[in-house]
Structures are given as structure tokens and as C-alpha cells.
Amino acid sequence: MLEKLRALNPELKIHSIHDAAFKKYGRVIDNLPVCQVTEILERLEMPAEGSVYVAEQPELMATADAKAIGRRFFGETACEVGVCYGYNSQMNAMEWHRCSELNVAVTPLVLLLGDVRDVEGGEYDAGRVEAFYLEKGAVVEVYGPTLHFCPCQVSAAGFICLVGLTKGTNLPLEEASEDRLLFRKNKWLICHEYNRGLIERGVYPGIHGENYTVKY
């Protein structure tokens, strides 16, 4: 699959998460139990279109896997275990947090990643983006300073990705922020300059250049 993606997307740097290039953005995790949460997410009914994000999914949170994630990945701090799933092929935007994010590829998928240190005054050159292929079952930590957004599908069946974060992340702000990039709790966000939908929702249009599409 990786070689096929590389052939279909010559304009993108598509790596494996096992390549040295990924070490800048995160790490592969081999010893975290995810069988229970994966089984639950494999039963999800896909949306008719677009993608869905649930910050904290009760059925996931009730599993022994979620307890192990809280203890071993988040160091016994309060966390939320949820899911992002559906259909997406474009970059569209980039977000970052003040904490690492746990991703479990319930289906194969591609993550488009960047470095927050390349965001200057809210502006970001899309040409700096790198793509990483996650095979089904891959478990990764995406570091807090890593730019990321909705995973990209690698088949017509769409994608399913478990998302673990510090509790409260991505929830609505309780009061207006003076920081134009702070979009939700612990979520700083910029979007592509031509993404009218996100701009209308108040996201700053700071990404310039190609709005990359992952072809499969």
C-alpha cells in the first residue's frame, strides 16, 4: 500500500511511521493494549459523508484498555479516549495541543504532519507538510508541537482512528480568547486560505500553498 500511495502522490513526501523521519513528530508504541477499543470501533456505522469526531466515547472509556491508556500513556492524569472516523482526503487545516495525542489506526490511514515551530505569526507554508502511512493496528504518539488534523483515508471504505488526549481537549472554550488561533480548549487551529467552511466558523486562514489531497 505504501508504495502505491507514493506512486499516486508524487507531490507528497509519504513515509512509513517506522522511518527515521517520523521521530521528529512522534513515536511508535508497541506495548499498549488496544484490542478491546479496536473491536468496539470496528463496529462503528460510518457517516453518509464527511468525518465525525467524538472527544470522549463512553463505551471506550469503560474498557480495561482505556484504563491502561490513562495509566501508562497519560501517567494517571485525567484523559479522554474518543474517535475520529468517516471520509477525508485533504489537509484542509492544521491543529496542535499542549499535550501528546494517542492515535490507533483501526483502519489503514495517512496522517499529514508538520512542526508548530514553522508557524510564524499564524502563517504556515503547506510545502513543509509530510505524510505518514499507518497500517491497520498501528499505535503512535503524536507529540504536542506536531501539526496534524483529520486523518486521510486510503480506500473508499473511509478511515477510523482512535484519539486519546488530555481530558477536556477539543471542548468549547468557556470564554473568548485573545489568542486568535485558540479555537477550542487545548486546541490551536489554522486552516487553508481557501477553506471557506472553516473560515466561516472563525478559523484563521494561515495555511498557504497546496491543499494536499491524498490519492489512493
Side-chain angles (χ1 to χ4, degrees):
M1 173 61 77
L2 179 55
E3 292 308 319
K4 176 185 176 183
L5 291 171
R6 284 172 171 164
L8 290 172
N9 298 274
E11 71 285 359
L12 266 176
K13 303 169 186 173
I14 302 184
H15 308 278
S16 163
I17 54 173
H18 304 288
D19 294 344
F22 186 62
K23 293 180 180 179
K24 177 180 179 181
Y25 305 110
R27 66 184 178 101
V28 178
I29 301 175
D30 296 320
N31 60 350
L32 203 60
V34 295
C35 292
Q36 292 175 335
V37 290
T38 297
E39 183 179 349
I40 291 169
L41 294 179
E42 286 177 333
R43 302 196 300 264
L44 277 175
E45 182 177 346
M46 300 295 279
E49 60 182 9
S51 61
V52 176
Y53 172 67
V54 180
E56 186 172 312
Q57 213 264 28
E59 190 176 4
L60 298 178
M61 293 295 294
T63 64
D65 284 359
K67 292 177 176 61
I69 288 169
R71 185 176 67 255
R72 294 164 55 181
F73 184 82
F74 289 100
E76 297 190 2
T77 58
C79 68
E80 57 194 32
V81 179
V83 61
C84 187
Y85 65 103
Y87 306 95
N88 179 60
S89 296
Q90 277 196 307
M91 175 178 60
N92 289 326
M94 282 292 189
E95 66 179 291
W96 62 97
H97 313 296
R98 296 288 191 259
C99 65
S100 286
E101 177 172 316
L102 178 71
N103 285 165
V104 179
V106 180
T107 64
L109 54 87
V110 166
L111 295 178
L112 299 178
L113 305 178
D115 190 327
V116 72
R117 290 170 293 189
D118 293 325
V119 178
E120 299 182 4
E123 312 297 325
Y124 180 71
D125 177 4
R128 293 181 175 273
V129 165
E130 295 186 83
F132 292 86
Y133 172 68
L134 280 68
E135 64 274 15
K136 180 179 179 178
V139 182
V140 299
E141 174 179 3
V142 177
Y143 298 144
T146 296
L147 303 174
H148 61 286
F149 199 54
C150 186
C152 294
Q153 67 199 68
V154 294
S155 78
F159 73 90
I160 303 174
C161 182
L162 177 143
V163 180
L165 284 159
T166 297
K167 192 172 184 65
T169 299
N170 289 326
L171 296 183
L173 296 170
E174 296 178 12
E175 57 184 64
S177 173
E178 296 177 356
D179 184 346
R180 65 180 177 180
L181 306 185
L182 183 60
F183 188 68
R184 292 285 187 269
K185 289 185 178 181
N186 194 25
K187 178 190 183 86
W188 287 261
L189 178 67
I190 55 177
C191 70
H192 194 274
E193 59 187 331
Y194 297 132
N195 191 308
R196 301 306 310 173
L198 287 176
I199 293 171
E200 289 171 4
R201 291 173 59 193
V203 180
Y204 180 71
I207 302 176
H208 312 285
E210 182 73 21
N211 187 11
Y212 291 109
T213 299
V214 176
K215 306 176 187 69
Y216 55 86

